[in-house]
Amino acid sequence: MSRRPTITDVAAAAGVSVATVSKAVNGRYGVASETVDRVLAVVAELGYESSLIASSMRSRTTGVIGVLVADFEPFSAEILKGVGQALRATRYDLLAYSGSHGAAEGWERRSLSRLSGTLIDGAIMVTPTVVNVGTEVPVVAIDPHTGPADVPTVECDSYGGALQATRHLVELGHTRIGFIAGRRDLRSSIARDAGYRRALTDAGIPIDPAFVGSGSYRPDAVRIAALEMLRRAERPTAIFAANDISALEIMKVASELGLDVPRDLSVIGFDDVPEAAKATPALSTVRQPMQTLGAEAARLLLSLMDGERPALTHVKLPTRLVPRDTTAPPE
């Protein structure tokens, strides 16, 4: 068959009605098991697939949950794994979608407008650029934007994690500790900045503005900030980066400048993405349970989609310090 097979083709080949094919394919009652087997055999033979959009127009549901990410980088990849694990025992499929077009602000609204009602029944936004989205389908945000959000949120204890990271460097004996921040529009980035500053204040170490750079989680911006810091006559002996990808970029810059990590410069990140442990040397970091973030967001979204009112709509998960080979006492 040169054209795409239709439900009518399946019905004719199986010797049943179109309605019977629909019931068999969608697992509805009222069809004998041997008939279901015959229909499904024909479906496999012809390569027929029912139209998701056509089905959604009839039933107003699609059986699909969308996960909207700005980019498919290590953090969002781990989130997707957690969502997938949580959905494994449900009837829902997972659609990973990136429609940021350069991470323009508000891209989530445009994406949800395209997807809602025809392709997805609910959505999880990862590190969104907006506070609220105003959509017809239930939405949960992971690592939310700043400001009071109407949507339920799931995040980790970024403030506590930043305290752990900076205190680790202080306890090793560092007093010139730099910080390269993440996106200023994320609640987590602001909390990590605050945790860094609190740890230094508690230790009686003055905060040097020259040791605080803006990386925005972009390698090019991280590189500029790291070069500026590390080329100073009195450079930092340690740097805390707001995420692991930024920390790995700092390590590259240090190597290019002839600095050894950790002998000349200690580096610690945040997230514990798989690349952190594989780096040479292995990156010290703060572990946030990324897959658990995804799983918790999925469970919260499923509750909302079932019409339930969850007792907790703003979930915060703990972090844990993971010292490895990139942090050591200063020379």
Side-chain angles (χ1 to χ4, degrees), residues 29 79 105 113 139 142 182 190 200 243 251 254 283 289 292 316 320:
Y29 294 109
I79 294 291
E105 184 176 339
S113 178
V139 172
I142 293 178
I190 294 172
L200 292 188
N243 75 347
M251 290 168 61
L283 178 66
T292 304
K316 184 176 287 188
R320 182 166 68 86

Side-chain angles (χ1 to χ4, degrees), residues 18-261:
V18 168
T20 298
V21 173
S22 178
K23 289 179 181 179
V25 169
N26 291 290
R28 298 189 186 120
Y29 294 109
V31 182
S33 59
E34 59 269 20
T35 303
V36 171
D37 292 341
R38 186 167 74 254
V39 169
L40 294 182
V42 172
V43 165
E45 181 183 345
L46 297 182
Y48 167 74
E49 294 182 9
S50 60
S51 169
L52 181 62
I53 294 178
S55 298
S56 69
M57 290 175 66
R58 291 190 298 271
S59 66
R60 305 302 300 169
T61 62
T62 65
V64 176
I65 285 176
V67 180
L68 278 60
V69 299
D71 192 14
F72 293 105
E73 37 72 42
F75 175 78
S76 61
E78 293 300 303
I79 294 291
L80 285 166
K81 290 178 187 177
V83 175
Q85 289 167 5
L87 297 183
R88 195 166 294 158
T90 74
R91 64 183 181 87
Y92 290 98
D93 292 327
L94 168 63
L95 171 68
Y97 184 86
S98 177
S100 62
H101 302 296
E105 184 176 339
W107 68 270
E108 300 90 346
R109 290 195 186 99
R110 296 187 293 276
S111 299
L112 284 169
S113 178
R114 289 192 197 102
L115 302 174
S116 299
T118 56
L119 288 176
I120 60 173
D121 295 334
I124 296 170
M125 302 186 303
V126 182
T127 61
T129 64
V130 292
V131 178
N132 297 308
V133 289
T135 178
E136 294 179 1
V137 300
V139 172
V140 173
I142 293 178
D143 198 356
H145 193 275
T146 58
D150 293 339
V151 300
T153 60
V154 181
E155 60 190 313
C156 79
D157 181 9
S158 286
Y159 178 78
L163 271 175
Q164 293 176 76
T166 312
R167 283 175 176 168
H168 172 62
L169 297 174
V170 170
E171 288 166 1
L172 287 172
H174 294 277
T175 56
R176 300 201 306 272
I177 301 172
F179 174 60
I180 294 187
R183 274 175 46 189
R184 290 294 179 182
D185 62 334
L186 289 178
R187 197 156 69 197
S188 59
S189 296
I190 294 172
R192 289 171 202 180
D193 185 288
Y196 159 78
R197 293 172 185 273
R198 176 59 185 270
L200 292 188
T201 300
D202 287 349
I205 300 172
I207 298 167
D208 187 342
F211 286 176
V212 179
S214 177
S216 302
Y217 297 143
R218 296 195 336 264
D220 58 339
V222 171
R223 170 168 287 270
I224 291 169
L227 282 169
E228 187 175 337
M229 247 182 244
L230 295 177
R231 282 174 172 164
R232 294 177 60 84
E234 193 174 71
R235 58 172 175 77
T237 60
I239 297 179
F240 165 42
N243 75 347
D244 288 343
I245 300 305
S246 298
L248 294 173
E249 186 65 28
I250 293 166
M251 290 168 61
K252 286 183 189 176
V253 171
S255 177
E256 291 167 10
L257 295 176
L259 300 174
D260 179 80
V261 175

